[in-house]
Amino acid sequence: MSSVAVLEAALQTRWDRETLAVYGDALSAAGDPRGELIALELTAARTPEVEARRRALLVEWLGGETFLDQPWPWRNLRFGLLEDIVIATAEELEALLASPAGPYLRGLTIAHGAAEVAHALRELARQPRPWLRRLAIRQYEQGPIPAGELRAFVAATPHLDELDLAGERIAATPLHPGITTLRLQPSSIVVTGAALPQVRVVDLAFEDGELAEQAAMLNPRLFPNVVELDLARNENVYPRDLPSNVGVVPFLDAVEAIDRLRRLRLPSPRLAVDILAIERLLDQVPHLEIEIARRYVDTIDLASLAAHPRLRVPPPRPWPARDVTAGREALTVIAGPRSAEELALASIIDLLEDRFDAMPDPARAAWRELFEFLDGLGWEDEAGQDIELPFPSRTLAVALRELADADRRCAATLALIDKRARDTVILRRYWGW
């Protein structure tokens, strides 16, 4: 067995910087451009020179800038592996698997109907996929994956450890035997009576209906070895007074044998009852560690909990919570006469929730400055006229550059700023459609 193969096998069980560095050296010695990529990505610096060299190596490895006439997801190509990509058609999947990145696929999202999902799993199973660790399925129709396709896929993906399901009745238990992290909605799986003893982490997204009934799914007969429950996706939504915005307390109160858990991850507390529930759980389950996934500037006061040794409370996000941000809230960016673009704030906030912590310091500072500015930017003055205020163009450009690959409005606004090159732009709040 070659040294590259030995190191690849080692990385499957021991993913660390030291092994990655040696693997990169072995790839470089074999003339593989992924070796230099790994060396660059192990450095802490993200200078323009490093990023330019990284892009050049990626283009060399992949044979071009685009995948099916779309840019490769550069952000998701890390350490010579494709961390995640969303596939919606059979053509896309076939092209991906035939590409240089196909053998090094580490994360995949399949978004399609039941028949197409089964076809995708069949295609994936045609050869071993030892790097594949995460599979997400967004299925638009009911219908479990056929048992034959599932068995073949299991055999081809020996290191898959995370399964993410969205849709109804996608798969029947016992699922993939390697799965240790399961992300789902209660209706996503068909429970046949087989337990899932390998699952250690459950990430649950609530559905419409009684939360107490949905909590029954997390019983110790189906999940005997779960130690971590992640409910962080269940944030309240706009408008704040929706009847469904009840928080996670009804669910937690109904969980059977909740003392099985060692870790609990929660969305931002919005109500006094949330604080009381956290205090009660910390008292009743002495080994339980609780993490609040996020909080906002208008989050309820957490002073009574802040010093608890088994509670992690993050600093507040600089943007407003989604239950006070309407989907139609927008920002008009004016760079000159007949030169304006619009930014959808809710879409931007959704992206920031995923990307903010990994951004470079200048970008995080730019977003903080922008949201502090927006906090003081009203809609209309006393005469009923739109309020328009100047904002530094460079600051807005630094912020938008981190989202331009994923949001067309951010990309268009960034292009406008780069073209006009003025010191300031004019910002105005806008109620969009």
Side-chain angles (χ1 to χ4, degrees):
M1 184 181 291
S2 69
S3 61
V4 169
V6 170
L7 288 163
E8 287 179 342
L11 282 169
Q12 299 294 355
T13 58
R14 188 178 67 253
W15 183 267
D16 56 50
R17 295 177 65 86
E18 292 74 16
T19 309
L20 271 172
V22 178
Y23 178 53
D25 290 343
L27 290 175
S28 294
D32 191 325
R34 293 185 307 125
E36 187 180 346
L37 268 173
I38 291 172
L40 283 175
E41 290 166 353
L42 284 173
T43 67
R46 278 188 60 181
T47 65
E49 293 77 17
V50 167
E51 289 300 306
R53 180 56 182 162
R54 176 178 178 270
R55 178 66 66 90
L57 287 167
L58 285 169
V59 171
E60 178 187 349
W61 171 39
L62 298 170
E65 292 267 359
T66 59
F67 165 70
L68 290 180
D69 299 324
Q70 296 294 321
W72 278 98
W74 305 114
R75 185 181 298 272
N76 295 336
L77 287 153
R78 300 291 295 169
F79 303 117
L81 303 170
L82 182 51
E83 292 288 344
D84 199 12
I85 189 168
V86 179
I87 294 297
T89 69
E91 177 192 20
E92 289 175 353
L93 180 64
E94 290 167 7
L96 172 67
L97 297 183
S99 76
Y104 305 103
L105 185 60
R106 201 158 192 256
L108 175 66
T109 297
I110 304 169
H112 222 306
E116 291 79 10
V117 168
H119 172 75
L121 295 184
R122 197 158 51 243
E123 290 299 309
L124 287 165
R126 291 189 184 278
Q127 66 183 68
R129 306 286 170 192
W131 290 108
L132 191 62
R133 306 301 293 248
R134 174 186 177 274
L135 176 69
I137 297 175
R138 306 285 178 262
Q139 186 167 295
Y140 308 142
E141 303 166 339
Q142 289 191 22
I145 299 164
E149 272 75 3
L150 184 58
R151 282 196 298 271
F153 176 75
V154 167
T157 55
H159 300 116
L160 192 78
D161 61 9
E162 181 177 329
L163 183 62
D164 184 343
L165 302 174
E168 292 189 46
R169 302 174 64 83
I170 298 174
T173 57
L175 306 176
H176 190 299
I179 296 301
T180 60
T181 298
L182 183 60
R183 308 184 192 281
L184 75 166
Q185 302 161 310
S187 67
S188 294
I189 61 174
V190 178
V191 179
T192 63
L196 300 173
Q198 79 280 9
V199 175
R200 307 280 288 174
V201 179
V202 173
D203 177 334
L204 199 67
F206 300 154
E207 298 173 308
D208 292 340
E210 291 293 327
L211 294 187
E213 295 176 2
Q214 297 177 53
M217 177 192 185
L218 200 73
N219 65 73
R221 292 161 297 286
L222 181 60
F223 294 108
N225 296 315
V226 163
V227 294
E228 180 173 339
L229 174 61
D230 192 337
L231 302 177
R233 287 190 283 169
N234 300 291
E235 290 284 351
N236 287 354
V237 297
Y238 183 88
R240 179 175 281 184
D241 58 359
L242 278 178
S244 58
N245 284 339
V246 297
V248 300
V249 175
F251 182 92
L252 293 172
D253 286 345
V255 171
E256 185 178 355
I258 199 168
D259 58 355
R260 287 174 292 155
L261 301 179
R262 298 264 172 193
R263 291 178 296 279
L264 176 64
R265 194 163 181 259
L266 298 174
S268 60
R270 312 298 289 161
L271 306 167
V273 68
D274 297 333
I275 303 299
L276 293 174
I278 293 171
E279 291 175 337
R280 184 173 68 252
L281 280 170
L282 289 169
D283 286 343
Q284 293 177 350
V285 188
H287 53 262
L288 181 65
E289 296 181 358
I290 298 179
E291 176 189 356
I292 295 174
R294 63 193 72 84
R295 65 188 180 105
Y296 304 94
V297 290
D298 62 341
T299 297
I300 191 169
D301 184 17
L302 301 179
S304 64
L305 298 172
H308 199 288
R310 288 185 283 112
L311 178 69
R312 291 176 56 192
V313 179
R317 295 300 205 187
W319 51 86
R322 284 302 311 274
D323 60 352
V324 295
T325 306
R328 291 173 60 187
E329 284 194 50
L331 193 66
T332 301
V333 181
I334 304 168
R338 296 183 298 277
S339 297
E341 293 288 348
E342 291 170 0
L343 299 172
L345 287 180
S347 298
I348 284 174
I349 288 172
D350 286 344
L351 283 171
L352 287 172
E353 293 287 5
D354 289 334
R355 296 188 173 190
F356 184 77
D357 292 335
M359 286 181 182
D361 290 342
R364 290 202 300 270
W367 280 113
R368 290 192 187 97
E369 184 176 342
L370 177 61
F371 279 106
E372 288 174 6
F373 176 86
L374 294 181
D375 191 45
L377 179 63
W379 292 81
E380 295 179 345
D381 61 20
E382 294 179 355
Q385 299 298 310
D386 291 336
I387 297 174
E388 297 181 347
L389 294 175
F391 186 79
S393 298
R394 176 177 173 79
T395 301
L396 185 57
V398 169
L400 295 178
R401 210 172 300 280
E402 293 296 317
L403 303 185
D405 66 310
D407 187 291
R408 61 179 180 82
R409 293 184 180 92
C410 289
T413 306
L414 180 61
L416 177 65
I417 294 171
D418 288 343
K419 180 179 180 181
R420 293 296 175 178
R422 296 189 175 190
D423 290 340
T424 61
V425 291
I426 301 299
L427 301 187
R428 179 180 68 216
R429 287 190 176 274
Y430 170 70
W431 193 252
W433 295 95

